[in-house]
Amino acid sequence: MQVPLFQLQCGVNSYDWGKIGKESAAAQYAAATESTNFSIENEKPYAELWMGTHPSLPSRDVGTQRSLLDLVQDNKALMSQGISRKYGEKLPFLFKVLSIRKALSIQAHPNKKLAEQLHAKDPKNYPDDNHKPEMTIAITPFDGLCGFRPLKEISHFLTTVPSLRKLVGEEAAKEFQEGVSSHGTSSNAEDIQRNKKSLQTAFSALMTKDKSTIAATAKELVASAKKDGEQFAGGGGPSNGGKELADLVVRLNSQFEGDVGLFVLFFLNYVRLEIGEAMFLKADDIHAYLSGDIIECMASSDNVVRAGFTPKFQDIPTLTSMLTYSYAPISEQKMNPVDYPYVTLNRAAYSSSSSAILYDPPIEEFSVVKTELNGKEAKATFEAIEGPSIIICTAGSGKVSVGPKSEQVKAGHVFFIGATAECILESDSESFTSFKAFCELSGKETANGAS
């Protein structure tokens, strides 16, 4: 019987927003697998390394060159019968490394029902019928726009950024601010719905302005950002200082001159993640990643509804109608990882403060464990689980073992581990870091709300 451990050959996408040449972690990891004929071109942007069964860029077994999709469909025990049955004989998650040089589009990912509708109506722009909640873990310092700010912050910017108020319109801005003053912090369900409706009205008013008006008004915004410094936007809000926001406006305008996204940033939380910090985005949550290298895990989909910071197809009516309009400080979207309970560290690992921490979103399709083994011979033994895993090494070197089979591992190597297999990671370097995405049927909600 075949040991359920095999190395994967994973493809890398070249999008304009990716980091250039060897600066891209995604490119470096793709080039690390010896059997590929991939070589890094110094002037080319490399954006995403994909690990999984998604047909747009499927992973392959290095040894046989069969696609991972073929392997898990041919042998359902690799994922477990239950997961194969529930998720249509495809890996429930898509695992990625993103290397971000400049802003990705302002976007959201549709829920399952909307994804089915969009795919049926427009399969060119919406290539599959799946939802796409996603989790982001920083492997270098990262910044992005994620979720709507607290309403008082948005109200503050409507007062202190005249060009923003001009685009939203006096009537919509005044109505929004009156609502915030009356019931903006209420926890009453009816008031929350009124707040969301008011936020939708103000945001939609901005997003539906014609591009020439936005571009002309953006010149006023950028001039103010360059001139006002610390005093820009009334000195900023509680979350971001005036100079920080001014620098952000100037930086993003250099990438997408005159874009509506320059104004959207006053509606959205501006977040920085340090290495190891993470956040979770539900389906229908608005966001835009701006810079950094990240590990990303999501339900297996490539559906994106875009509306700014992009030359690609934009679907503003769908975006403004689909969003949840939930509003909260970014602290509520950041995750709180915990020690992973189903791993045993050997003495060398304990004595060197090695760790295995779990990023566990409130859905069933995926979770991720980050393992850091400090020092040679540090070892982590993971208990068998009733589901598949994919492991990528991001730093250092060591080996991965399942049963009698061991494989050497270095940064960029990716391995698939089948269901019910105990897995052992062992370091042969001073620091061996890996991320393991996995799925098991847990009784948590799936991304489309079913349990």
Side-chain angles (χ1 to χ4, degrees):
M1 183 178 177
Q2 182 187 28
V3 177
L5 168 68
F6 41 88
Q7 188 176 359
L8 296 179
Q9 176 182 318
C10 302
V12 63
N13 282 321
S14 176
Y15 301 140
D16 183 58
W17 51 261
K19 290 188 177 182
I20 303 298
K22 293 181 180 178
E23 293 180 0
S24 168
Q28 291 179 37
Y29 296 158
T33 302
E34 291 81 357
S35 68
T36 67
N37 56 10
F38 172 74
S39 60
I40 298 173
E41 298 176 31
N42 290 333
E43 304 301 319
K44 188 174 182 178
Y46 295 98
E48 298 183 341
L49 180 79
W50 283 32
M51 300 167 278
T53 59
H54 196 282
S56 294
L57 195 61
S59 301
R60 296 186 176 277
D61 174 16
V62 165
T64 66
Q65 285 300 299
R66 293 182 66 191
S67 74
L68 180 58
L69 181 60
D70 283 346
L71 291 167
V72 298
Q73 290 182 339
D74 189 49
N75 181 1
K76 295 178 177 56
L78 287 173
M79 290 206 304
S80 83
Q81 294 286 347
I83 287 175
S84 290
R85 201 162 41 242
K86 186 167 186 176
Y87 292 102
E89 300 183 358
K90 300 171 186 174
L91 202 65
F93 59 83
L94 178 57
F95 205 22
K96 293 184 182 182
V97 175
L98 272 62
S99 292
I100 305 159
R101 176 178 54 90
K102 68 177 189 177
L104 277 71
S105 57
I106 296 165
Q107 61 185 254
H109 306 299
N111 60 46
K112 178 66 173 171
K113 183 177 179 181
L114 179 59
E116 291 171 348
Q117 295 169 353
L118 292 173
H119 178 63
K121 182 176 72 173
D122 185 1
K124 178 184 176 184
N125 289 303
Y126 301 104
D128 58 68
D129 62 359
N130 207 11
H131 43 231
K132 192 181 174 184
E134 63 189 31
M135 178 169 66
T136 295
I137 306 169
I139 56 175
T140 63
F142 161 91
D143 69 340
L145 304 172
C146 302
F148 286 102
R149 294 177 181 268
L151 300 181
K152 281 190 174 181
E153 289 190 31
I154 299 171
S155 178
H156 167 79
F157 292 132
L158 284 170
T159 296
T160 60
V161 183
S163 52
L164 174 66
R165 192 178 188 92
K166 182 190 293 188
L167 288 180
V168 170
E170 185 60 34
E171 184 178 342
K174 185 177 180 182
E175 179 186 333
F176 176 80
Q177 291 182 309
E178 287 175 352
V180 171
S181 297
S182 172
H183 44 74
T185 58
S186 172
S187 57
N188 177 275
E190 288 186 9
D191 286 339
I192 290 172
Q193 288 306 310
R194 289 164 66 191
N195 290 338
K196 288 183 176 183
K197 188 65 179 175
S198 178
L199 176 57
Q200 181 176 9
T201 299
F203 184 69
S204 299
L206 168 65
M207 297 304 294
T208 52
K209 279 289 184 292
D210 66 88
K211 289 189 175 183
S212 60
T213 301
I214 291 169
T217 310
K219 292 180 180 178
E220 300 173 21
L221 177 70
V222 174
S224 176
K226 290 179 177 178
K227 175 174 67 74
D228 295 343
E230 288 286 0
Q231 300 308 310
F232 179 67
S239 304
N240 310 114
K243 181 69 162 58
E244 182 180 37
L245 290 171
D247 289 348
L248 183 61
V249 167
V250 172
R251 172 182 142 203
L252 293 176
N253 188 63
S254 73
Q255 298 174 6
F256 293 95
E257 185 176 358
D259 194 272
V260 69
L262 303 177
F263 297 94
V264 170
L265 68 86
F266 296 105
F267 278 86
L268 304 187
N269 289 299
Y270 175 56
V271 59
R272 296 177 185 269
L273 296 181
E274 296 304 321
I275 295 171
E277 288 191 305
M279 61 186 179
F280 175 67
L281 297 163
K282 300 187 294 291
D284 302 333
D285 275 353
I286 189 169
H287 59 284
Y289 297 161
L290 302 180
S291 71
D293 297 285
I294 59 174
I295 293 285
E296 191 177 49
C297 200
M298 63 197 68
S300 187
S301 170
D302 197 26
N303 282 325
V304 183
V305 183
R306 301 179 182 88
F309 289 154
T310 181
K312 294 181 180 179
F313 172 72
Q314 298 186 32
D315 192 347
I316 290 170
T318 296
L319 184 93
T320 55
S321 64
M322 71 182 274
L323 297 174
T324 62
Y325 292 98
S326 296
Y327 48 91
I330 194 59
S331 58
E332 294 191 17
Q333 283 186 301
K334 283 189 177 181
M335 301 185 71
N336 296 305
V338 298
D339 288 338
Y340 183 61
Y342 304 113
V343 64
T344 301
L345 302 180
N346 70 353
R347 180 172 297 188
Y350 272 119
S351 63
S352 61
S353 300
S354 298
S355 62
I357 59 172
L358 173 67
Y359 300 86
D360 193 27
I363 59 169
E364 187 175 73
E365 279 89 336
F366 58 85
S367 300
V368 173
V369 175
K370 178 186 181 184
T371 305
E372 291 186 288
L373 296 176
N374 302 319
K376 296 178 181 179
E377 299 183 355
K379 183 188 296 186
T381 301
F382 290 85
E383 295 178 18
I385 60 171
E386 293 289 332
S389 303
I390 289 180
I391 290 180
I392 180 170
C393 170
T394 57
S397 60
K399 66 179 181 180
V400 58
S401 304
V402 170
K405 186 176 182 180
S406 291
E407 296 277 2
Q408 289 299 124
V409 184
K410 66 178 184 180
H413 283 182
V414 181
F415 292 86
F416 176 87
I417 298 167
T420 72
E422 181 185 83
C423 166
I424 300 171
L425 295 175
E426 184 172 1
S427 175
D428 64 13
S429 59
E430 291 307 311
S431 181
F432 176 33
T433 303
S434 67
F435 291 83
K436 180 167 93 90
F438 66 94
C439 173
E440 58 181 339
L441 300 180
S442 62
K444 290 191 292 183
E445 283 194 351
T446 57
N448 64 351
S451 57

